[in-house]
């Protein structure tokens, strides 16, 4: 019966080898479990950096390596 305060991600930024390739600013009307999709062309091996900020101002980050075979 307790109310759980809303705390959702409101900003997401994605970098590929240090270059920003995607940014999303989400408002209060976003779904509780949104699905975001974007496209990019990976021309070299490297790293994706995902950074987000939630309603409380907490920041999170995750990295994912990608290997491009020529």
């Amino acid at each position: 019966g307790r109310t759980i305060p809303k705390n959702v991600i409101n900003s997401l930024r994605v970098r590929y080898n240090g270059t920003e390739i995607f940014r999303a600013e989400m408002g209060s009307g976003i779904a509780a479990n949104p699905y975001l999709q974007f496209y990019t062309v990976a021309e070299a091996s490297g790293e994706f950096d995902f950074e987000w900020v939630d309603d409380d101002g907490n920041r999170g980050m995750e990295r994912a390596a990608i290997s491009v075979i020529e």
Side-chain angles (χ1 to χ4, degrees), residues 20-34:
E20 185 175 291
I21 59 169
F22 179 78
R23 179 186 291 226
E25 301 291 333
M26 296 163 278
S28 61
I30 195 77
N33 190 14

Side-chain angles (χ1 to χ4, degrees), residues 10-49:
N10 56 46
S11 175
L12 172 68
R13 184 178 4 198
V14 182
R15 290 187 180 99
Y16 170 58
N17 288 338
T19 302
E20 185 175 291
I21 59 169
F22 179 78
R23 179 186 291 226
E25 301 291 333
M26 296 163 278
S28 61
I30 195 77
N33 190 14
Y35 175 81
L36 296 175
Q37 180 176 340
F38 65 92
Y39 295 92
T40 190
V41 176
E43 296 178 347
S45 297
E47 212 168 56
F48 284 100
D49 294 322

Side-chain angles (χ1 to χ4, degrees), residues 7 10 52-59:
N7 184 18
N10 56 46
W52 59 89
V53 180
D54 67 16
D55 285 339
D56 289 338
N58 295 319
R59 296 181 176 274

